Amino acid sequence: MVIVESRLPTSFIRDVRLCAGLNIIWAEELTSTEGTTEVERAGHGVGKSTFSLMLRAVLGDDGAAVKTMRNHLADCYGSGGIAAEVVAGEERFAVFRSFGAQSLALRNGTVESLFEPNAKADAIDFSTYVTALGEQACLQHMPTRALPVTGQTVEWEHVLCWVARDQALGLRQYFEWRNDERTGLRRKVKDPPALVRLVLGLLSNSEAKAEERVASINNELSTARDTLRSDEQRGTNTRSIVETQLRAWAGVSNSLQMVADDLFAESVEKETQRKARQLETRNDEDRTLVAALDRELVELAADIKTQERIVELAKARWEETVALRNKDDKSLKEIRERRDKLLTLSGTCQYGGVSFSECSYVQAQRDAVKLTAKRDINVLTKMLEEHADREAAEKADYEREVKALSEFMDARENKTKHRANLSLAIERRLRQLGEGDAVRRSLTQWQESHQAPETEKLRDARAAVVNLEKKLEAAKGAKLATQQQMSERERQIAARASKLAKAFGVNGHYVPSDEKRPFQMLGADGDAYTVLEILLCDLACAVDGASGGGAHPGLLIFDCPREREMSPHLYDRFLTLVDEVCKAAPGLQVILTTTTAPPGLLREPPKCILKLSRASDENMLLKRRIENLLARATPLSRDTSDEEER
């Protein structure tokens, strides 16, 4: 693998020669010297994890940590990248993974050919290279690529997460591979164990079908449990609502019992019945009043009709006297006007040519008018007085009859309003009685449910849950039975894992169906052995793949595998064991970074392929200090399962 500072012009930072077998990148811790700090002496921050991320990058990893590393280095080396020769199966690829956007690969090429003028023209797309790499390294050796239950197709990126674990996550559980970035698997908990067994050829068709049946029954059981909870809650809510409605309708306190066996004890049921009877009694009373009012209104209607005719007759007589009086008033007015005209004449008569005061004719007429007018006025005045008395009497009769009619009308209006109020009251009570009927029906239902809480629907729902639980246990038993039928493949891998455990003086137990701890070092407890179990299990799987069994690519990348939790002796024995295993399995390649010094024979080439330290910039991976190189991208949301993990 070559770290490229610039593609044009071509400039290299470091050329690292990896080989089959054990490859150690040692970040050496410096001895204490005057003026140096603990940070300067430590083997951290020199590039060992960056080296692991570069390996992951050229193998097709495009996770968050790799993207962060590439983006960060693109700021320092714009046209740089990582060049490598990758051999998988019958294929050899020359790969250039740029720090920027453009990456390429050449079939049957070398690192040198990547920088020839026609390299881009002969290159294949990087995604095409990743697909071909996955096929040659792993996928073509798998009998099936579909994960059980989900049917998701296994891809090279999924396997790469396993063989090159994320250093930031550490080694806490076997099937935890990535920290704050997705593995691409749909079910975070269930799919990694299935993937491992699928790659190792340990997942039989019968077990896959059993797993699918377990998942199917689990889904049915989840639905049935939801239905049961809903029915139970609905029954509880219904009883509570009905009880509240009954108490509110009857107007009783919450402390009063719903039903009572004692004949003389109070209860909501008795109060409900009592109130219903009370409402019906009041309605009967009001209906009697309404019937009486209806009869009175009929009589009033006849009285009003008769009185209206009487009022009209009185009005006609009164208007007649008014008309007679008005006619006499007109005659009296004419007499007075004629008299006043003669008595008030002035000036000269046009016929005699003398003044009216001296005219004998005018004087005679004036005397005659005085007598006649006086007599007529007296007669008319007497007649008017008689008419006035008659008119007053007729008016009084009219007003009296009008008053009587008004009293009849007021009485009818009052009785009509009273009848309307009674009708509204009856209607309101009828509504209450209707509500009471519904409430009493609810009371009956409540009593039935109170006497038999398990309704037929609820019993069916509970029976369905129990039945599915039995089916699930049977399906799990069938799955376990298929898992316990140890095949030759399982015995081979178990034997490899057990042999590795014996190198540490303990027995090893390999259970591939265990979804949390498939390999266990019996009698060895503590964090150091938890880490060692994971490392040895990975090593056993890789040896199996390198030896031609299963589909494991025979490659492991251990980035600083928490050696601080092991004692120096334990860690030395582990590294020595890895070297021994690699020698016994020629197709195996293990790339390991460490800050703890390897055993003496492993500190030099060809086992130690790269030694890094803070002694000088030249001894750092990129031969210069780059601050915050491994700054993490914003953590991605953790993988969520497509179905609830049970």
Side-chain angles (χ1 to χ4, degrees), residues 194-209:
L195 172 67
V196 168
R197 299 189 65 216
L198 201 60
V199 170
L200 296 177
L202 300 177
L203 189 62
S204 63
N205 288 333
S206 58
E207 183 183 347
K209 291 179 179 179

Side-chain angles (χ1 to χ4, degrees), residues 185-225:
L185 298 173
R186 294 175 185 168
R187 303 185 304 168
K188 182 179 180 180
V189 176
K190 292 286 187 180
D191 281 345
L195 172 67
V196 168
R197 299 189 65 216
L198 201 60
V199 170
L200 296 177
L202 300 177
L203 189 62
S204 63
N205 288 333
S206 58
E207 183 183 347
K209 291 179 179 179
E211 174 72 17
E212 291 177 2
R213 177 160 175 75
V214 168
S216 175
I217 296 175
N218 255 327
N219 289 334
E220 291 183 45
L221 180 58
S222 177
T223 302
R225 283 172 174 167

Side-chain angles (χ1 to χ4, degrees), residues 88 91 93 107 124 127-138:
E91 293 274 8
F93 300 95
R107 291 185 184 272
I124 60 175
S127 61
T128 303
Y129 149 71
V130 173
T131 300
L133 172 62
E135 287 290 327
Q136 291 295 321
C138 174

Side-chain angles (χ1 to χ4, degrees), residues 173-190:
Q173 293 186 18
Y174 188 79
F175 296 107
E176 287 187 348
W177 299 335
R178 287 285 182 263
N179 185 46
D180 292 334
E181 55 178 302
R182 299 182 184 277
T183 62
L185 298 173
R186 294 175 185 168
R187 303 185 304 168
K188 182 179 180 180
V189 176
K190 292 286 187 180

